[in-house]
Amino acid sequence: MQLLIKRGGCHVKRWGQLDALRQQLGESRWLLCVDLEATCDDYPAGLDEAARNAHVLEVQRHDMEPIEIGIALLDVQLEYRIVDHFGQFVRPLLRPKLTEFCTGLTGISQSDVDTAERFAVVQDQLDDWLAPRDTEGWRWCSWGDYDRKQLKEDAIRAGVDVLLDPARHINLKKCFWKIFACRALGLKCAVESIGLSWEGKHHRAIDDGAVTAVPWKRIVSIKGCFHAERCRCEWWFPRKRVVTANGCFHGNKGSCE
């Protein structure tokens, strides 16, 4: 994963939200940026409405399970420097065979998950990795609320305690749109909107976990007014609605996911 700084970006509109976020983060030494990849399916391209309604997805939303957990560990006292990583594949239980859509989206192969441990074992490995950070305190964040909900569902399904306490979770996606007074953005589009260019594999947990740390560090380090050129996601300016090529104005799937 490579992120290149480029000219341009959005600017802070709600400084009170940013100050509140900084205060919240200052209560702990460590910040975990977490991302999950999960079993999934999608409709084949070219289906008309009738065919789409008749098509049954191999993986329904309530059947989704993590197949990869990626975490970037940031040291708050070192200006949010990434100091460690955790990454493991997870073997799904409900739908052990990955769909063609899933492997194409993530690049995760069937052999990757066939040789992986079940969720409960991976959670134990994560617990061991996280234990040395307990004394100085930690919080965790993700881009959106999906990861928090999915980890809770899988802990219940596996009959284990929820390791990453939901009460310690910060929804960075929500923080982003509150601070910049914009509509909710996907991770890739948000990274590009603050003046960074994303080059690498999207929809891989270890990469996305590390990339989630980038806008976080960039946001909390902002001093004064962050004026810059408008980013290509400038559709949130009400007097100049621009539908970008990736369709992010309508929230469609694309490079902004």
Side-chain angles (χ1 to χ4, degrees):
M1 177 60 59
Q2 183 181 14
L3 285 167
L4 305 174
I5 296 177
K6 64 180 182 180
R7 187 180 179 188
C10 47
H11 58 273
V12 172
K13 292 187 177 180
R14 295 173 180 168
W15 289 95
Q17 294 286 345
L18 179 55
D19 291 340
L21 175 60
R22 287 170 174 157
Q23 184 177 358
Q24 188 178 30
L25 291 173
E27 299 171 357
S28 302
R29 169 72 183 274
W30 310 105
L31 177 67
L32 285 68
C33 292
V34 180
D35 187 75
L36 305 178
E37 300 303 331
T39 53
C40 55
D41 196 13
D42 200 2
Y43 295 97
L47 294 183
D48 58 26
E49 184 177 356
R52 186 182 178 91
N53 291 336
H55 184 85
V56 179
L57 296 175
E58 294 182 35
V59 179
Q60 301 292 326
R61 171 63 187 87
H62 59 272
D63 289 335
M64 293 176 66
E65 300 172 273
I67 54 175
E68 186 184 26
I69 299 176
I71 301 176
L73 179 69
L74 280 63
D75 189 334
V76 175
Q77 295 182 6
L78 294 179
E79 297 181 343
Y80 300 92
R81 182 185 305 168
I82 297 177
V83 295
D84 203 358
H85 295 86
F86 177 89
Q88 289 289 343
F89 292 118
V90 184
R91 183 154 48 107
L93 175 65
L94 300 179
R95 297 290 183 271
K97 182 175 174 55
L98 302 183
T99 64
E100 183 178 347
F101 171 78
C102 184
T103 56
L105 179 70
T106 64
I108 298 173
S109 69
Q110 187 65 48
S111 61
D112 288 332
V113 297
D114 285 345
T115 56
E117 299 288 355
R118 296 289 190 193
F119 178 84
V121 176
V122 174
Q123 180 162 281
D124 285 342
Q125 295 171 349
L126 175 56
D127 190 19
D128 293 340
W129 178 80
L130 191 56
R133 283 92 187 186
D134 281 340
T135 55
E136 295 180 281
W138 54 267
R139 297 188 71 98
W140 69 286
C141 70
S142 61
W143 195 262
D145 217 25
Y146 162 75
D147 304 87
R148 179 188 66 81
K149 294 177 180 178
Q150 187 66 56
L151 287 172
K152 181 179 179 180
E153 289 178 8
D154 280 274
I156 294 173
R157 185 182 291 131
V160 297
D161 293 333
V162 181
L163 177 59
L164 297 181
D165 183 0
R168 300 191 194 186
H169 178 255
I170 300 173
N171 183 339
L172 181 54
K173 185 176 185 179
K174 185 176 181 179
C175 292
F176 191 94
W177 64 254
K178 281 188 173 184
I179 291 169
F180 293 105
C182 65
R183 296 194 184 192
L185 300 175
L187 176 59
K188 186 173 186 293
C189 199
V191 165
E192 293 173 345
S193 78
I194 57 173
L196 299 174
S197 178
W198 184 326
E199 296 181 1
K201 179 62 180 175
H202 191 23
H203 292 298
R204 281 301 305 271
I206 193 63
D207 283 345
D208 287 359
V211 172
T212 300
V214 176
W216 191 277
K217 181 176 181 179
R218 188 76 171 261
I219 292 167
V220 296
S221 64
I222 292 173
K223 294 180 175 63
C225 193
F226 187 49
H227 289 295
E229 295 176 351
R230 290 183 181 179
C231 67
R232 65 186 181 85
C233 293
E234 59 184 336
W235 46 263
W236 63 62
F237 294 92
R239 292 187 179 180
K240 189 176 182 180
R241 294 184 175 181
V242 178
V243 181
T244 61
N246 53 35
C248 59
F249 177 81
H250 298 290
N252 295 334
K253 290 184 177 180
S255 62
C256 279
E257 286 290 294

